[in-house]
């Protein structure tokens, strides 16, 4: 009798395993990291984002529902047509189940549209525009790490309250820079300050001298820098060369990461306020994960790279919970489950696809205050999700309106 029951149990187990496996299309779960491998944001995304995705797969166990997990990568080179072309090929020909990262908001919006048409998932960590979960939201799109609303409300609000009442904005001339400058300006005015002017610049600009001189001549207390990666580094470095801060004006980098500080050095970056979704040196879990990342990549993770890791891990958990890689069922599971990883505790996904997470207001340490390698940020305070995410009362997302 016992032998017969054992055989029946084994048969049932095999059937369950076969059923679960049948739910994975093409017998593989394929993840595409669409990123910037050599351009202006390569240090904060790029190869590090690929490594972060691979670490998530390794942490999960390398397989899901009995099938292998494959991670591929592509470089969109900040070209809209190239990014869209890669996304179409991945979804339609290469059978990629989910695209992650996608730095560059214009490309992200294009990929969101393609994902919606293809009924495939996309998890944005590198893109910042609020349009991804507002006017152009999608049931297949998830905005994971940060957006311009959160950056502006975290940093600009703190700087104005500290006395920086008049601002001049320098912004990169594409969707992300325009949205970040707009959101920042609105926060400055709402907090009782004023914006004296603004200028746009092309992506990957080498010489900021004319823009900085115009910002300096405006007499603004604060020069807000609404760009990313190497553009932020170049703007701050050249501002130092012009002696702008020594002459009484302050700089506010609206998106500024630990990697940017490492490139600039503490002497140039010290005292800069910033808003971040994560920091490698927060606690034992973040330090342990980041140490492994450092061994693989040679640098500590940016908040974007940490977000890629978290998004991939949550996606894989949802595939397991749903028992399939079907996009609609996985999306439902992702929304139903709390988000927990080395950098995130009990975050949730809202109906518009925005991840509701705590953010942190940080300040770059002085050289004297930094005690060891990559010890760059002082965490000033936590910013609750309610204060860092656009309220649904302002939403234009059709998914919210229908509800």
């Amino acid at each position: 009798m016992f032998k017969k029951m054992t055989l029946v149990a084994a048969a049932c187990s095999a059937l369950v395993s076969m059923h679960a496996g049948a739910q994975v299309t093409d017998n593989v779960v394929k993840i595409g990291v669409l990123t910037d491998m050599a351009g202006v944001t390569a240090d904060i995304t790029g190869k590090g984002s690929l490594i972060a995705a691979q670490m998530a797969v390794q942490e999960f166990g390398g397989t899901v529902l009995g099938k292998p997990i494959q991670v591929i990568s592509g470089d969109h080179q900040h070209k809209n047509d190239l990014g869209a072309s890669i996304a179409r090929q991945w979804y339609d020909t290469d059978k990629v189940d989910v695209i992650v990262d996608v730095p560059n908001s214009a490309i992200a919006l294009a990929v969101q549209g393609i994902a919606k048409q293809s009924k495939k998932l996309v998890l944005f960590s590198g893109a910042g525009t609020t349009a991804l979960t507002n006017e152009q939201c999608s049931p297949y799109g998830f905005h994971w790490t940060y957006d311009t609303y959160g950056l502006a409300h975290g940093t600009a609000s703190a700087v104005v309250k500290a006395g920086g009442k008049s601002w001049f904005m320098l912004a990169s001339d594409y969707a992300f820079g325009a949205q970040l400058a707009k959101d920042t300006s609105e926060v400055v005015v709402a907090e009782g300050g004023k914006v004296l002017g603004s200028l746009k610049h092309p992506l990957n600009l080498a010489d900021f001298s004319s823009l900085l001189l115009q910002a300096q001549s405006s007499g603004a207390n604060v020069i807000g820098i609404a760009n990313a990666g190497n553009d932020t580094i170049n703007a701050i470095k050249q501002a130092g060369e012009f002696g702008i801060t020594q002459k009484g004006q302050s700089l506010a980098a609206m998106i500024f990461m630990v990697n940017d500080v490492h490139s600039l050095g503490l002497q140039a970056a010290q005292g800069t306020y910033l808003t971040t979704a994560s920091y490698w040196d927060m606690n034992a879990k973040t330090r342990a994960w980041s140490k492994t990342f450092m061994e693989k990549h040679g640098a500590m993770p940016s908040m974007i790279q940490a977000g890629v890791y978290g998004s991939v891990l949550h996606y894989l958990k949802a595939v397991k919970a749903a028992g399939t890689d079907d996009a609609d069922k996985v999306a439902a599971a992702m929304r139903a489950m709390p988000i927990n990883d080395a950098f995130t505790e009990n975050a949730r996904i809202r109906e518009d696809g925005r991840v509701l997470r705590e953010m942190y207001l940080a300040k770059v340490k002085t050289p004297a205050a930094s005690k060891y390698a990559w010890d760059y940020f002082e965490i000033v305070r936590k910013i609750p999700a309610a204060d860092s995410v656009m309220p649904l009362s302002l939403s234009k997302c059709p998914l919210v309106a229908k509800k």
Side-chain angles (χ1 to χ4, degrees):
M1 175 66 75
F2 177 78
K3 184 177 180 181
K4 183 177 180 180
M5 289 176 64
T6 302
L7 290 172
V8 170
C12 289
S13 177
L15 286 171
V16 169
S17 178
M18 290 173 61
H19 175 73
Q23 301 305 305
V24 176
T25 54
D26 303 307
N27 292 316
V28 62
V29 172
K30 191 176 288 190
I31 300 164
V33 182
L34 183 57
T35 189
D36 168 19
M37 285 295 188
V40 65
T41 57
D43 284 350
I44 56 177
T45 61
K47 183 181 177 183
S49 290
L50 174 60
I51 290 170
Q54 292 168 338
M55 286 178 64
V57 172
Q58 184 178 11
E59 180 177 328
F60 190 76
T63 63
V64 61
L65 301 178
K67 301 299 180 182
I69 303 163
Q70 182 181 359
V71 180
I72 64 173
S73 65
D75 183 358
H76 60 45
Q77 299 176 33
H78 290 282
K79 298 177 180 177
N80 290 8
D81 55 347
L82 178 59
S85 176
I86 292 171
R88 285 194 186 93
Q89 178 176 324
W90 279 0
Y91 285 141
D92 299 340
T93 304
D94 298 338
K95 307 304 180 184
V96 167
D97 295 291
V98 60
I99 292 175
V100 302
D101 198 9
V102 203
N104 188 305
S105 290
I107 295 173
L109 289 168
V111 173
Q112 174 119 304
I114 295 166
K116 187 176 181 180
Q117 292 170 0
S118 302
K119 294 186 177 181
K120 293 289 187 75
L121 298 180
V122 57
L123 316 178
F124 300 106
S125 188
T129 178
T130 54
L132 289 167
T133 52
N134 199 18
E135 301 95 335
Q136 298 189 45
C137 70
S138 163
Y140 300 98
F142 297 84
H143 206 167
W144 205 262
T145 305
Y146 76 100
D147 63 21
T148 56
Y149 182 96
L151 296 179
H153 281 73
T155 304
S157 178
V159 172
V160 174
K161 288 175 181 176
K165 296 291 187 180
S166 60
W167 286 57
F168 192 98
M169 297 299 304
L170 301 181
S172 51
D173 191 12
Y174 71 111
F176 168 74
Q179 188 68 55
L180 184 52
K182 178 178 179 293
D183 289 348
T184 301
S185 298
E186 289 176 353
V187 172
V188 169
V189 172
E191 293 287 351
K194 55 185 176 180
V195 179
L196 303 182
S198 64
L199 291 170
K200 295 180 180 179
H201 67 82
L203 193 67
N204 209 12
L205 182 65
D207 184 4
F208 281 83
S209 57
S210 64
L211 285 79
L212 288 167
L213 287 173
Q214 291 181 69
Q216 186 177 35
S217 65
S218 73
N221 303 138
V222 180
I223 299 174
I225 300 173
N227 50 29
N230 290 343
D231 282 334
T232 303
I233 292 168
N234 286 336
I236 294 176
K237 185 182 296 182
Q238 290 171 36
E241 292 168 357
F242 280 113
I244 285 177
T245 55
Q246 293 92 320
K247 294 175 183 177
Q249 288 176 300
S250 298
L251 302 177
M254 302 316 301
I255 180 168
F256 201 44
M257 302 192 199
V258 67
N259 319 69
D260 301 327
V261 176
H262 190 73
S263 296
L264 272 170
L266 286 174
Q267 189 63 42
Q270 62 181 312
T272 303
Y273 282 99
L274 61 121
T275 300
T276 185
S278 63
Y279 178 47
W280 76 269
D281 202 14
M282 292 284 291
N283 54 52
K285 287 195 300 183
T286 61
R287 284 189 285 272
W289 191 93
S290 300
K291 180 181 178 182
T292 301
F293 181 88
M294 179 80 169
E295 290 169 354
K296 294 175 180 289
H297 187 50
M300 287 300 178
S302 69
M303 70 168 177
I304 291 174
Q305 292 158 347
V308 169
Y309 149 75
S311 67
V312 170
L313 186 62
H314 189 72
Y315 168 78
L316 293 173
K317 290 177 181 178
V319 171
K320 181 179 179 180
T324 176
D325 62 353
D326 176 82
D328 290 293
K329 293 177 181 178
V330 174
M334 288 177 68
R335 287 183 164 90
M337 298 165 58
I339 300 169
N340 286 289
D341 57 61
F343 296 91
T344 312
E345 185 174 354
N346 292 326
R348 290 281 183 178
I349 299 172
R350 203 166 60 177
E351 54 262 50
D352 58 356
R354 184 67 169 90
V355 170
L356 303 178
R357 64 165 70 252
E358 287 182 336
M359 301 286 282
Y360 302 91
L361 178 67
K363 188 178 182 181
V364 178
K365 292 184 174 182
T366 64
S370 179
K371 303 303 181 186
Y372 41 86
W374 293 83
D375 177 26
Y376 295 154
F377 289 172
E378 170 196 349
I379 302 300
V380 178
R381 65 179 177 87
K382 287 184 180 180
I383 305 172
D387 295 336
S388 65
V389 178
M390 182 183 293
L392 287 180
S393 60
L394 299 178
S395 178
K396 300 175 183 176
C397 171
L399 302 175
V400 174
K402 288 178 181 177
K403 183 176 180 180

